[in-house]
Amino acid sequence: MKNKTVKMLVGFVTLGVLCGAYVGVKNYTAKQEEQDETEHEETVAVSEADSEKVNSIMFVIGGKEEAFSKEDGVWKKTDEEDFPVNQTALEDAAESLSGIEADRVLNDVDDLSEYGLDDPDNTITIGQEDETDIIIHVGLLNDSTSQYYINKEDDENTVYVVASGEIESFMNVQSVYDYAEKEEFPEVEADSITEIKVEKEDSYTMEEDSDTGFWYISGNVGDEKYESEKADSAQASTLTSTVSGLEFSDMVDYNSDDDAQYGFDDPYAVVTIDYEEEE
């Protein structure tokens, strides 16, 4: 009889534990579903700026805050009016800011440091014609999903999760010259080149005979001089092909007044290329 009573008590206790666990699981599930609904909303707009009315953009480039402003339809670097701004690049940047969309929205975030928003990696300020600004802070990048965590200054506790492509124009930009209009290297066809002159310690000139198509080389190597010797045709072809493939990689200075800074006060060589253009 005693054993039976003990077993019944254990049964009631167990039943009570199970009931409590059931209620707890039910409440947790409901809370989790509510949280999931909050964090997995449909794509929503973060910035609804009208790109045609955006007249200034400021963001961090290479650790320094840089600003661009638009006057009479032309973008300029705010502190350097002579800077050769790439108009297409700035227009594209303004256009991208008008349509930033979030894949998820995290509401009522208490700890911004979890998302790198206590000390943002970048801050993008969008100025508009009505003199209102939209300020966006960019936090951590989730490498596994290629998404950034961002928020807006007027609502810091709402965190948006956006695809990296949404703000790629403003992230990992190492130099302001990425927004510069670069000069194009002249397009030179290999078969249009008639002469290549290289001036350095050992100088030479390679010239094509227009009648025969053969290349001849003259110049000096140390104390030895040679004049009008027939050049190796394969080497000549390689050289003209190399020259025709030259192009500028990056612009590093649009207004240099210090030749020594780049080694132009004592260049390794001066190369002069003569070529023909069709009119």
Side-chain angles (χ1 to χ4, degrees):
M1 189 70 177
K2 184 178 180 180
N3 289 340
K4 186 175 181 181
T5 303
V6 171
K7 288 179 182 178
M8 289 178 66
L9 286 173
V10 172
F12 282 126
V13 172
T14 303
L15 180 60
V17 171
L18 290 175
C19 288
Y22 170 75
V23 172
V25 170
K26 184 176 180 181
N27 290 338
Y28 172 79
T29 302
K31 183 177 180 181
Q32 188 66 32
E33 288 176 352
E34 182 181 349
Q35 182 177 356
D36 289 343
E37 288 176 1
T38 301
E39 295 187 359
H40 293 82
E41 296 175 357
E42 293 182 359
T43 300
V44 297
V46 178
S47 168
E48 296 181 344
D50 185 341
S51 61
E52 295 183 359
K53 295 182 180 179
V54 172
N55 59 11
S56 69
I57 302 174
M58 184 165 59
F59 59 101
V60 176
I61 299 178
K64 179 184 176 183
E65 198 169 60
E66 301 285 1
F68 300 88
S69 55
K70 190 176 185 180
E71 299 176 14
D72 298 325
V74 178
W75 284 98
K76 296 181 179 180
K77 192 168 182 289
T78 305
D79 60 348
E80 290 181 75
E81 289 198 353
D82 294 332
F83 186 88
V85 174
N86 186 319
Q87 299 298 310
T88 301
L90 262 296
E91 285 295 338
D92 290 346
E95 182 68 29
S96 70
L97 289 172
S98 67
I100 297 177
E101 295 184 334
D103 298 326
R104 286 195 300 154
V105 180
L106 312 179
N107 293 310
D108 301 322
V109 174
D110 294 324
D111 187 1
L112 293 176
S113 65
E114 291 184 11
Y115 306 99
L117 291 166
D118 58 325
D119 183 19
D121 188 48
N122 204 338
T123 295
I124 306 167
T125 303
I126 310 161
Q128 303 177 101
E129 290 179 0
D130 62 2
E131 298 185 356
T132 60
D133 292 343
I134 299 173
I135 303 175
I136 296 173
H137 301 297
V138 184
L140 295 174
L141 170 66
N142 187 325
D143 292 319
S144 62
T145 62
S146 294
Q147 293 174 312
Y148 279 101
Y149 297 105
I150 70 174
N151 66 359
K152 294 192 289 186
E153 188 160 294
D154 60 357
D155 186 14
E156 291 187 343
N157 296 110
T158 299
V159 175
Y160 300 89
V161 184
V162 302
S164 59
E166 294 284 314
I167 53 174
E168 64 183 351
S169 300
F170 308 95
M171 303 307 296
N172 302 317
V173 182
Q174 299 303 313
S175 169
V176 71
Y177 282 98
D178 289 346
Y179 279 90
E181 187 70 48
K182 302 175 180 63
E183 184 179 344
E184 297 292 332
F185 196 87
E187 292 186 10
V188 180
E189 298 292 335
D191 57 8
S192 72
I193 297 173
T194 58
E195 182 180 279
I196 299 175
K197 184 177 182 179
V198 180
E199 297 175 83
K200 58 177 185 176
E201 184 177 348
D202 295 329
S203 300
Y204 66 87
T205 299
M206 194 173 74
E207 186 174 7
E208 183 185 35
D209 186 314
S210 58
D211 295 326
T212 65
F214 292 122
W215 285 89
Y216 291 85
I217 188 169
S218 58
N220 69 285
V221 178
D223 295 331
E224 185 178 348
K225 297 183 179 181
Y226 48 96
E227 295 184 3
S228 198
E229 294 185 13
K230 189 175 180 181
D232 182 277
S233 58
Q235 293 290 344
S237 177
T238 298
L239 183 58
T240 55
S241 295
T242 299
V243 169
S244 68
L246 290 175
E247 62 181 25
F248 295 127
S249 175
D250 294 300
M251 180 191 293
V252 296
D253 197 337
Y254 76 95
N255 191 28
S256 174
D257 57 2
D258 182 8
D259 287 342
Q261 181 180 359
Y262 303 106
F264 294 134
D265 59 327
D266 184 23
Y268 172 74
V270 177
V271 181
T272 304
I273 302 163
D274 290 345
Y275 64 99
E276 298 176 343
E277 281 187 339
E278 292 185 5
E279 296 183 353

